[in-house]
PDB file of all heavy atoms in Angstrom:
ATOM      1  N   LEU A 287      58.209  21.823 139.637  1.00  0.00           N
ATOM      2  CA  LEU A 287      58.936  22.780 140.471  1.00  0.00           C
ATOM      3  C   LEU A 287      60.446  22.795 140.131  1.00  0.00           C
ATOM      4  O   LEU A 287      61.048  23.846 140.108  1.00  0.00           O
ATOM      5  CB  LEU A 287      58.725  22.427 141.945  1.00  0.00           C
ATOM      6  CG  LEU A 287      59.336  23.296 142.984  1.00  0.00           C
ATOM      7  CD1 LEU A 287      58.774  24.738 142.802  1.00  0.00           C
ATOM      8  CD2 LEU A 287      59.048  22.787 144.365  1.00  0.00           C
ATOM      9  N   ALA A 288      61.019  21.645 139.913  1.00  0.00           N
ATOM     10  CA  ALA A 288      62.411  21.544 139.570  1.00  0.00           C
ATOM     11  C   ALA A 288      62.686  22.229 138.223  1.00  0.00           C
ATOM     12  O   ALA A 288      63.677  22.940 138.054  1.00  0.00           O
ATOM     13  CB  ALA A 288      62.822  20.101 139.439  1.00  0.00           C
ATOM     14  N   PHE A 289      61.766  22.076 137.267  1.00  0.00           N
ATOM     15  CA  PHE A 289      61.871  22.727 135.956  1.00  0.00           C
ATOM     16  C   PHE A 289      61.880  24.262 136.119  1.00  0.00           C
ATOM     17  O   PHE A 289      62.662  24.959 135.512  1.00  0.00           O
ATOM     18  CB  PHE A 289      60.763  22.218 135.069  1.00  0.00           C
ATOM     19  CG  PHE A 289      60.806  22.825 133.678  1.00  0.00           C
ATOM     20  CD1 PHE A 289      61.789  22.430 132.782  1.00  0.00           C
ATOM     21  CD2 PHE A 289      59.849  23.749 133.303  1.00  0.00           C
ATOM     22  CE1 PHE A 289      61.847  23.014 131.497  1.00  0.00           C
ATOM     23  CE2 PHE A 289      59.876  24.318 132.043  1.00  0.00           C
ATOM     24  CZ  PHE A 289      60.895  23.939 131.149  1.00  0.00           C
ATOM     25  N   VAL A 290      60.931  24.771 136.891  1.00  0.00           N
ATOM     26  CA  VAL A 290      60.786  26.208 137.076  1.00  0.00           C
ATOM     27  C   VAL A 290      62.024  26.726 137.799  1.00  0.00           C
ATOM     28  O   VAL A 290      62.550  27.812 137.424  1.00  0.00           O
ATOM     29  CB  VAL A 290      59.512  26.512 137.885  1.00  0.00           C
ATOM     30  CG1 VAL A 290      59.500  27.984 138.332  1.00  0.00           C
ATOM     31  CG2 VAL A 290      58.288  26.190 137.041  1.00  0.00           C
ATOM     32  N   LEU A 291      62.494  26.027 138.745  1.00  0.00           N
ATOM     33  CA  LEU A 291      63.693  26.435 139.482  1.00  0.00           C
ATOM     34  C   LEU A 291      64.897  26.474 138.529  1.00  0.00           C
ATOM     35  O   LEU A 291      65.740  27.374 138.565  1.00  0.00           O
ATOM     36  CB  LEU A 291      63.977  25.517 140.664  1.00  0.00           C
ATOM     37  CG  LEU A 291      65.161  25.829 141.526  1.00  0.00           C
ATOM     38  CD1 LEU A 291      65.031  27.174 142.151  1.00  0.00           C
ATOM     39  CD2 LEU A 291      65.363  24.775 142.583  1.00  0.00           C
ATOM     40  N   ALA A 292      65.067  25.484 137.672  1.00  0.00           N
ATOM     41  CA  ALA A 292      66.176  25.404 136.719  1.00  0.00           C
ATOM     42  C   ALA A 292      66.136  26.586 135.811  1.00  0.00           C
ATOM     43  O   ALA A 292      67.200  27.190 135.428  1.00  0.00           O
ATOM     44  CB  ALA A 292      66.202  24.136 135.953  1.00  0.00           C
ATOM     45  N   ILE A 293      64.981  26.946 135.309  1.00  0.00           N
ATOM     46  CA  ILE A 293      64.821  28.122 134.401  1.00  0.00           C
ATOM     47  C   ILE A 293      65.224  29.367 135.149  1.00  0.00           C
ATOM     48  O   ILE A 293      65.924  30.217 134.661  1.00  0.00           O
ATOM     49  CB  ILE A 293      63.395  28.205 133.814  1.00  0.00           C
ATOM     50  CG1 ILE A 293      63.177  27.047 132.875  1.00  0.00           C
ATOM     51  CG2 ILE A 293      63.159  29.540 133.149  1.00  0.00           C
ATOM     52  CD1 ILE A 293      61.793  26.975 132.290  1.00  0.00           C
ATOM     53  N   GLY A 294      64.726  29.547 136.321  1.00  0.00           N
ATOM     54  CA  GLY A 294      65.071  30.719 137.104  1.00  0.00           C
ATOM     55  C   GLY A 294      66.563  30.852 137.381  1.00  0.00           C
ATOM     56  O   GLY A 294      67.089  31.931 137.258  1.00  0.00           O
ATOM     57  N   MET A 295      67.188  29.801 137.656  1.00  0.00           N
ATOM     58  CA  MET A 295      68.650  29.804 137.895  1.00  0.00           C
ATOM     59  C   MET A 295      69.439  30.128 136.605  1.00  0.00           C
ATOM     60  O   MET A 295      70.441  30.749 136.678  1.00  0.00           O
ATOM     61  CB  MET A 295      69.141  28.505 138.495  1.00  0.00           C
ATOM     62  CG  MET A 295      68.679  28.286 139.944  1.00  0.00           C
ATOM     63  SD  MET A 295      69.047  26.751 140.633  1.00  0.00           S
ATOM     64  CE  MET A 295      70.823  26.761 140.594  1.00  0.00           C
ATOM     65  N   SER A 296      68.937  29.675 135.496  1.00  0.00           N
ATOM     66  CA  SER A 296      69.640  29.960 134.247  1.00  0.00           C
ATOM     67  C   SER A 296      69.621  31.453 133.925  1.00  0.00           C
ATOM     68  O   SER A 296      70.583  32.009 133.431  1.00  0.00           O
ATOM     69  CB  SER A 296      69.036  29.136 133.076  1.00  0.00           C
ATOM     70  OG  SER A 296      67.764  29.659 132.736  1.00  0.00           O
ATOM     71  N   PHE A 297      68.498  32.129 134.246  1.00  0.00           N
ATOM     72  CA  PHE A 297      68.456  33.570 133.995  1.00  0.00           C
ATOM     73  C   PHE A 297      69.364  34.289 135.009  1.00  0.00           C
ATOM     74  O   PHE A 297      70.002  35.287 134.631  1.00  0.00           O
ATOM     75  CB  PHE A 297      67.022  34.087 134.173  1.00  0.00           C
ATOM     76  CG  PHE A 297      66.200  33.793 132.975  1.00  0.00           C
ATOM     77  CD1 PHE A 297      65.110  32.929 133.061  1.00  0.00           C
ATOM     78  CD2 PHE A 297      66.459  34.400 131.771  1.00  0.00           C
ATOM     79  CE1 PHE A 297      64.292  32.611 131.990  1.00  0.00           C
ATOM     80  CE2 PHE A 297      65.634  34.128 130.662  1.00  0.00           C
ATOM     81  CZ  PHE A 297      64.591  33.239 130.735  1.00  0.00           C
ATOM     82  N   ALA A 298      69.480  33.873 136.192  1.00  0.00           N
ATOM     83  CA  ALA A 298      70.339  34.471 137.197  1.00  0.00           C
ATOM     84  C   ALA A 298      71.810  34.312 136.766  1.00  0.00           C
ATOM     85  O   ALA A 298      72.584  35.242 136.891  1.00  0.00           O
ATOM     86  CB  ALA A 298      70.129  33.838 138.546  1.00  0.00           C
ATOM     87  N   TYR A 299      72.136  33.144 136.201  1.00  0.00           N
ATOM     88  CA  TYR A 299      73.563  32.932 135.764  1.00  0.00           C
ATOM     89  C   TYR A 299      73.866  33.821 134.551  1.00  0.00           C
ATOM     90  O   TYR A 299      74.982  34.426 134.527  1.00  0.00           O
ATOM     91  CB  TYR A 299      73.684  31.444 135.345  1.00  0.00           C
ATOM     92  CG  TYR A 299      75.075  31.102 134.844  1.00  0.00           C
ATOM     93  CD1 TYR A 299      76.132  30.993 135.814  1.00  0.00           C
ATOM     94  CD2 TYR A 299      75.360  30.924 133.573  1.00  0.00           C
ATOM     95  CE1 TYR A 299      77.400  30.702 135.376  1.00  0.00           C
ATOM     96  CE2 TYR A 299      76.621  30.623 133.115  1.00  0.00           C
ATOM     97  CZ  TYR A 299      77.654  30.513 134.061  1.00  0.00           C
ATOM     98  OH  TYR A 299      78.914  30.207 133.655  1.00  0.00           O
ATOM     99  N   VAL A 300      72.964  34.025 133.613  1.00  0.00           N
ATOM    100  CA  VAL A 300      73.204  34.896 132.435  1.00  0.00           C
ATOM    101  C   VAL A 300      73.445  36.304 132.899  1.00  0.00           C
ATOM    102  O   VAL A 300      74.343  36.987 132.390  1.00  0.00           O
ATOM    103  CB  VAL A 300      72.017  34.787 131.467  1.00  0.00           C
ATOM    104  CG1 VAL A 300      72.150  35.820 130.416  1.00  0.00           C
ATOM    105  CG2 VAL A 300      71.998  33.443 130.819  1.00  0.00           C
TER     106      VAL A 300
END
Side-chain angles (χ1 to χ4, degrees):
L287 184 59
F289 179 72
V290 169
L291 182 61
I293 289 175
M295 289 176 62
S296 70
F297 284 112
Y299 181 75
V300 169

